[in-house]
Amino acid sequence: MMAKYDEPLLNEIEEEKEEKFEEIERKELNIPNLPERQVMKHFIHLSQMNYGVDTGFYPLGSCTMKYNPKLLQRIASMEKINFVSPLQDESTVQGNLQLMYELEKMLCEITGMDAFTLQPAAGAHGEFTGMLIARAYFEWKGERRKNVIIPDSAHGTNPASARMAGFNVIEIPSKNGRVDLDALEHVVDGETAAFMLTNPNTLGIFEKDILKIAKVIKEAGALLYYDGANLNAIMGKAKPGDMGFDICHLNLHKTFATPHGGGGPGAGPVGVKKFLEDFLPLPRIKKVGNEYKFDYSSKKSIGKVSMFYGNFAVLAKAYTYILMKGKELKNASEKAVLNSNYLMEKLRKAGYDVPYYGRRMHEFVISLSDLRKKGIRAIDVAKRLLDYGFHPPTVYFPLIVEEAFMIEPTEDENKATLDKFAEVMGKILHEDAELLKNSPHSTPVKRVNEVMAAKKPKLTWKDLK
Amino acid sequence: MMDFLSIKNIDELFEDLPPEVRIDGLNLPPAMDERDVENKIREILSKNKTFYEMPSFLPILKPHYIPAAVYEIVARQEFYTSYTPYQAEASQGMLQALFEYQSVVAELTGMDAANASMYDSATALGEAALMAERIKKKGSIAIPSNISYRKKAVLKNYVEGAGIRIFEMPYENGLPILKKFDGSAIYIESPNFFGLIDDRKEIIENASDNDALLIFGTDPLFLSIFNPPEYADIVIGEGYLGNPMNFGGPLLGIFTCKREYIRYMPGRIIGATVDKEGKRAFTPILQTREQHIRRGKATSNICSNEALCAVSFLAYVAVMGKNGLRRIAIQNEKNAHYMALQLEKIGFEIPFGKKFFNEFVAVSPVNAKKLNENLLKKGIQNGLLLDEIENGILYGVTEMHDKAIINNAVEKIKETMEEIE
Ligand SMILES: Cc1ncc(COP(=O)(O)O)c(C=O)c1O
């Protein structure tokens, strides 16, 4: 499935001659001179040692590894985008401004928020932006609120973002896989700035008490924050804005297929309700007559969170995706939820344990803790899946499930793929423990030694000399 | 599949949604086919003017040529569709590429270590300030008052939560001056916001005398021909090489540092190790600094970064090689100096002298705002108007601005000046 090469590092490939340059200050520079032919071969080999969405099933929970329609790539490589400077006169970038303006409007419709900023570069950056907005809002109101509450099932970026914005983080335990309302009521008080929630949550369970949760938060004068990582479950079925969320971020690289880029770039737009609009980063985009303009006027704004207006090429891809799907975004969510429930039942039949069993949304979490009796860990099963040509699900997250496997098939997989995956998972359950612990066997490298990597870190090719 | 789940209607799967919030679809247009979508977007984008249609001399994010091979490399689905390489055995390609990227930027900046990217140079500055504070815990950072207001605004948001105060150094002849400063870090840039190459001796001494970390902002292309800031503790910058302007994003925040500080670093780091059979392999390392393990106590909240931009950067450096990089850097410097000379000839003043790389300040003899407006009508996007200098314009010139483009622009500038006078 993936090719195996002993691919040298760039600096190990045979070099061409160095030119002499007169009068330059820097003498030493260890960057190789290589013919383009060698460079291409190198990178093609590297790519062939990497698993992508077009390679096969990639059910990485929480990451929404859906298919990335190829038109998105074509749009993002247009000269009309690539060769436009962010500092050009507004009159010469009307196309870009229009695109951003319309994308904001579409995201408002999808989420039920009143206004969006497109400036944050990723989900976590959006969370940070949202927390800065919360802080600025309470400062403006003259209230000292220093705490942000987060469920123990939350993604690690939630507490990290809240901390970076200067808040204390209070973690509350979950009950039966959902927010424990009593625990929430117990900690909410006049010092609470916000409650951050993913809905459906990281177990793939919809927080059905969401309206009660919103009431508790509102009555305390705090804000409800929506981590939109799981929006793919509910498009066209419900809107965070209607559930009482005041601030939300989206991950365009997940829900809107822009893709993940091997780790980034993404985009993490933040939407807010009307009463928070003035706190959004600058500039905003306004339409005056038929013209689009940057607006720097809001005095309450938090200012800036990145250099320019956001990851524009990524935004253009999300815009393309939404145009392609239109109203059918609802069908995407329905199919994603159907696929997820189907695969969950299949895996239960195959003998896997689903903690807090019940209906799931677009993803679900199984626990492999039963396998520990045989000395097998979730990571062993994950690695074994690679031998069957599947990318493993997310492992060991959320933290509230032991030996967690978080599985998100997305709407783009067919029944045959899901059946095949379930069949292989069933088979692995009965495989020899040693076989699993020594897996993967067929990948470009065998099980990677992470302990050694951490002991004496080798961070650049100089360290390998 | 519905039969298997014993459901008749898909809505049965959405039973947990309270009836009050359920909706039936979105108020969006119907799905469109691919060709119609492309046509619609082409029409919208046709309202933009590109560098090729309207020569531009804007600084900060400038046009550069990107070889076709770079586009091909990052268009590989294995790279651009994959997730963060947490499963090392299925991600050796991306991991090795990022390891090579780290090697290349550490080489350029003269540091020992690099992370696999920050969002952009402004957030890299914010993260560097936070990192310095974790190490020194003195509660303040000094920055030049003449850095981009964009970076200042982002920095302020990054450090406020940690209670770090920002001290702005005044400048003389375009370069920052600092008497005595007892804080966690001093930030300086070279080339700086005015394009100047800063020989920075006093400030470096000040940092070491006062036990503050030196955070250094610089430019990767500049570093191919100028000495790296080896005396710095953290070196950051904008990794624009191989990445198109894209109206300002995605960008690539370069972040490198000395070895002794790696455990304080933000972001993902890739390390070399071996597999079970002793074969060389790559993997994310020092993950206990990161949010997915350390949560609220992580060195940063960053999760998704700008990995593919780092691969573009690497591919660009690989295709160009040392020779190519240096050739381009020299062209940048030559073209910028040529432009400055031509402007001087028609009456502009170069207030801070000629020690610059590919950006410089020029003071227009006529009202600069008016000049830019009129030039735009003639199809030229002039440099950036500076608030801090009356009629000051910050120019950015690269290998894309060959003599013909510069001569034509200078002629139009002269013509426009005469119209204004
Ligand atoms: C639930 C959840 N929240 C937040 C994030 C952070 O998003 P990003 O990686 O875009 O910063 C993720 C990403 O993995 C996530 O799964």
Side-chain angles (χ1 to χ4, degrees), chain B residues 50-306:
Chain B
T50 69
F51 175 79
Y52 292 108
E53 296 158 338
M54 177 190 68
S56 145
F57 295 87
L58 289 165
I60 307 181
L61 207 55
K62 302 177 285 293
H64 288 280
Y65 185 75
I66 301 176
V70 175
Y71 278 86
E72 286 241 349
I73 289 165
V74 291
R76 295 287 297 190
Q77 72 83 17
E78 297 89 335
F79 289 142
Y80 81 77
T81 70
S82 63
Y83 194 69
T84 298
Y86 287 132
Q87 291 293 344
E89 297 82 1
S91 317
Q92 282 301 298
M94 198 67 199
L95 287 163
Q96 182 170 338
L98 291 172
F99 182 83
E100 291 175 348
Y101 161 78
Q102 290 173 187
S103 303
V104 162
V105 286
E107 174 66 27
L108 282 165
T109 60
M111 293 287 107
D112 304 313
N115 72 14
S117 70
M118 306 264 76
Y119 304 133
D120 63 18
S121 58
T123 67
L125 174 58
E127 295 273 17
L130 291 174
M131 173 170 157
E133 182 62 22
R134 284 194 288 279
I135 298 168
K136 296 292 181 189
K137 300 192 177 69
K138 291 190 194 166
S140 61
I141 174 174
I143 63 168
S145 56
N146 59 333
I147 63 170
S148 151
Y149 86 87
R150 295 159 202 281
K151 282 189 192 158
K152 264 188 218 176
V154 174
L155 176 66
K156 177 173 159 288
N157 275 329
Y158 267 75
V159 302
E160 226 164 58
I164 303 169
R165 289 179 317 275
I166 301 172
F167 170 76
E168 291 196 17
M169 299 179 257
Y171 62 88
E172 221 169 62
N173 299 323
L175 301 177
I177 40 178
L178 185 66
K179 288 285 178 293
K180 187 169 161 47
F181 175 71
D182 185 22
S184 290
I186 299 171
Y187 174 63
I188 51 171
E189 298 180 335
S190 177
N192 73 6
F193 181 58
F194 293 160
L196 301 172
I197 301 171
D198 185 350
D199 54 19
R200 63 224 170 217
K201 297 248 161 33
E202 280 155 35
I203 290 182
I204 298 158
E205 279 162 20
N206 199 315
S208 64
D209 287 354
N210 290 301
D211 192 33
L213 292 192
L214 189 69
I215 303 171
F216 200 92
T218 184
D219 176 305
L221 189 60
F222 168 83
L223 288 177
S224 70
I225 54 172
F226 285 89
N227 286 335
E230 277 159 339
Y231 39 79
D233 299 292
I234 301 171
V235 181
I236 58 176
E238 198 71 75
Y240 58 84
L241 295 177
N243 289 295
M245 290 189 286
N246 287 338
F247 198 45
L251 300 170
L252 165 65
I254 291 176
F255 197 105
T256 64
C257 73
K258 287 207 172 121
R259 179 171 297 275
E260 59 203 279
Y261 301 125
I262 56 174
R263 284 168 208 273
Y264 296 94
M265 252 184 153
R268 197 166 301 127
I269 305 174
I270 310 306
T273 181
V274 292
D275 75 357
K276 205 162 126 300
E277 293 174 349
K279 183 180 168 191
R280 184 162 74 193
F282 301 91
T283 185
I285 61 163
L286 304 175
Q287 292 191 56
T288 50
R289 299 164 300 109
E290 290 186 70
Q291 47 72 31
H292 59 283
I293 305 208
R294 194 56 64 82
R295 300 177 73 83
K297 297 196 176 68
T299 54
S300 167
N301 68 337
I302 193 168
C303 180
S304 289
N305 55 17
E306 308 288 301

Side-chain angles (χ1 to χ4, degrees), chain A residues 19 80 98 109 237 330, chain B residues 11 24 27 47-48 327:
Chain A
E19 268 172 55
K80 284 285 195 182
Q98 179 182 344
E109 167 59 20
K237 309 299 286 183
K330 176 178 124 178
Chain B
D11 280 328
D24 185 25
N27 185 14
K47 298 173 199 161
N48 291 344
R327 227 176 290 129

Side-chain angles (χ1 to χ4, degrees), chain A residues 328-339:
Chain A
E328 284 174 19
L329 285 175
K330 176 178 124 178
N331 309 49
S333 286
E334 288 176 349
K335 187 74 200 316
V337 172
L338 180 64
N339 276 354

Side-chain angles (χ1 to χ4, degrees), chain A residues 61-63 121-125 127 154-158 198 202 227-230 249 251 253-254 263 266-268 397 406, chain B residues 83-84 119 268 301-305:
Chain A
S62 208
C63 304
H125 204 209
E127 295 166 18
H155 194 257
T157 50
N158 291 185
T198 315
T202 58
D227 174 339
N230 292 344
H249 87 258
N251 298 59
H253 39 303
K254 298 180 179 177
F397 177 69
M406 186 189 214
Chain B
Y83 194 69
T84 298
Y119 304 133
R268 197 166 301 127
N301 68 337
I302 193 168
C303 180
S304 289
N305 55 17

Side-chain angles (χ1 to χ4, degrees), chain A residues 37-56:
Chain A
R37 194 265 174 280
Q38 300 303 329
V39 173
M40 275 321 279
K41 189 172 70 176
H42 175 71
F43 284 105
I44 297 309
H45 284 182
L46 291 188
S47 73
Q48 289 173 318
M49 293 194 284
N50 222 60
Y51 195 103
V53 169
D54 297 343
T55 310

